[in-house]
Structures are given as structure tokens and as C-alpha cells.
Amino acid sequence: MDKRILIPTDFSKNALNAARYALDLYAKLNCEFYFLNVFRLDHYTTNTLIMPEPGSPEFEAAKAKSEEGFAKLLDMLELHHDNPKHSYHTISSFNFLSEAIKQTIASKDIELVVMGTQGATGAKGIIFGSNTVNAMEKIRECPVMAIPEDLRFSIPKEIVFPTNYKSTFRRKELNYLIEIALMHQTSISVLHFKKETSLDESQEANKQLLDDILENVDHSFHILTDKNVARGITSFVESRKSDMIAFINKKHFLFNSIFSRPLVKEIGYDAKVPILALNES
């Protein structure tokens, strides 16, 4: 069965860049790419009592503008990414972005969402836009990958996987990480935050389980002693010229533990590599 990937787009340069990265990353697989554009109406606000209806001049004009954007996008992609393994679909939606993404994931059985980290309205200096952080926080149905602005695709040689070994690992959670690693012969560097002097019994068991799950992938274990986790991950990635960061998006405490909300943004300020948020099964 073809892999189904959703790429939200606002037709910005950054969104186009994310699309190109996804097409190159999955060039070897049969994929269906769904491009989603959420359109807005210029004069409509949440204070307006009357919702614009499909068929109204305002609604149809905004939808037509979205469809024009898709025509240009597909022309560009087909010019540079003529891959017989890939097919493209477009969806124009009048909705909130997070709701439109969730609806598309459900209706099209999407397996992965790929987003640019900043759209056309992104503030200078902030690479992780609020849409991307919200998507990583709210989307539980499938993994979310964020692609930094201006990043050109190169075959990933190393993916950094930060963990504290405090939760049990499941193969299902790591499927997408392993798939990318096997597809490109990529190594995985497991990075442990060392606060305690040694691992306790359950952490040791979890580390061994992870070792077993990654048995078919080239992988290694590393220790991080930097008290500032964001800075530690960033410097580890830079020093080794790693190509991606992947982490498991824990249900209840992702945004106040290892990957606290400020941390995701903090890494995002200097993000030079894609970040893959995997979901807890």
C-alpha cells in the first residue's frame, strides 16, 4: 500500500521547501502526497455573525485563490520532482489549521505530517512558528516532521534520538524512525540526559529494550551532561553534523519534561535540521 503523507501549505517559500524535502526523503517509496491549504476570507472575523457559505461570492473567490496556488505548486513540483512512485492530491479547506489537519488525517488515513517551520507570516528570527509547535503538541494520530527554512535535502547520515530511558519503548512508536534509517542507511545516535550518577534497574531494562528494537539499524549510545538540555542537543547535533532529531511525543508530559514547550521553541530558534515528533502508541 502507498504511504500517505500530508503537507500543509500556505504557498510560502518555506512550505514549498518542506514539500521538496518530503518528496526527496521518500523518493524510493510509493507515496500519495496530500497538500492542504487552509484559506481565509479577507473580511470575515470571528465577530462576524454570518458564516460565509460555500456558493457565496466571498467564499468562492477565496477558494479559487487557494486552487490557483495549488496549480502553481503542482507545476513546480512536477518540474523538479517527476517521480512515477508519487501521486499528488490537493485539499482547499475553510477551517482552523489544526482542525483541518485532524480531519484530513482521519479521512485520508494519513501516516505522517510534514510541515515547514515558518510560513510567510513568520516573525524574523523565530524558526519554529506557532502552527508547527501546535501541530507537534496536538496531533496524536501520526508523527509530525518539521523542516527548517532553506534546508536543502541531503541523504541523512545520522539521526539523534534523545531519551531519559524512563519509559518503556515500543516498536510501533519507532517504526517511522527505523523506516527512514533503513531507507537511507542512516545511523541512530541515542542521546541520554545524565542527571543521576547511573541508570536504575528499569532504565537499564528500557535501554536494553531499545537496543533490541534497533538491532537492524546502525546505532550507538551517548551521554549528555549539559544542564541545559536544548543547548546540549543543539551542540551535539552541530558537533557531529547530524541530520535530524527524533523524539517520542509523550502524551501527558511532553511539554513539561524533556521536550518542554519552551525547549521545542528553543531548539527551533537555531534549528538547522528536521525534527521528527513520534507518537506514543
Side-chain angles (χ1 to χ4, degrees), residues 248-266:
I248 294 175
N249 184 349
K250 293 290 176 189
K251 248 173 205 152
H252 302 293
F253 50 87
L254 165 66
F255 285 92
N256 57 19
S257 70
I258 296 178
F259 277 82
S260 64
R261 189 165 187 165
L263 177 60
V264 170
K265 285 186 171 176
E266 207 177 317

Side-chain angles (χ1 to χ4, degrees), residues 128-143:
F128 255 52
S130 59
N131 285 337
T132 315
V133 173
N134 286 341
M136 285 184 162
E137 187 176 17
K138 291 176 180 171
I139 294 169
R140 298 287 168 189
E141 297 81 358
C142 69

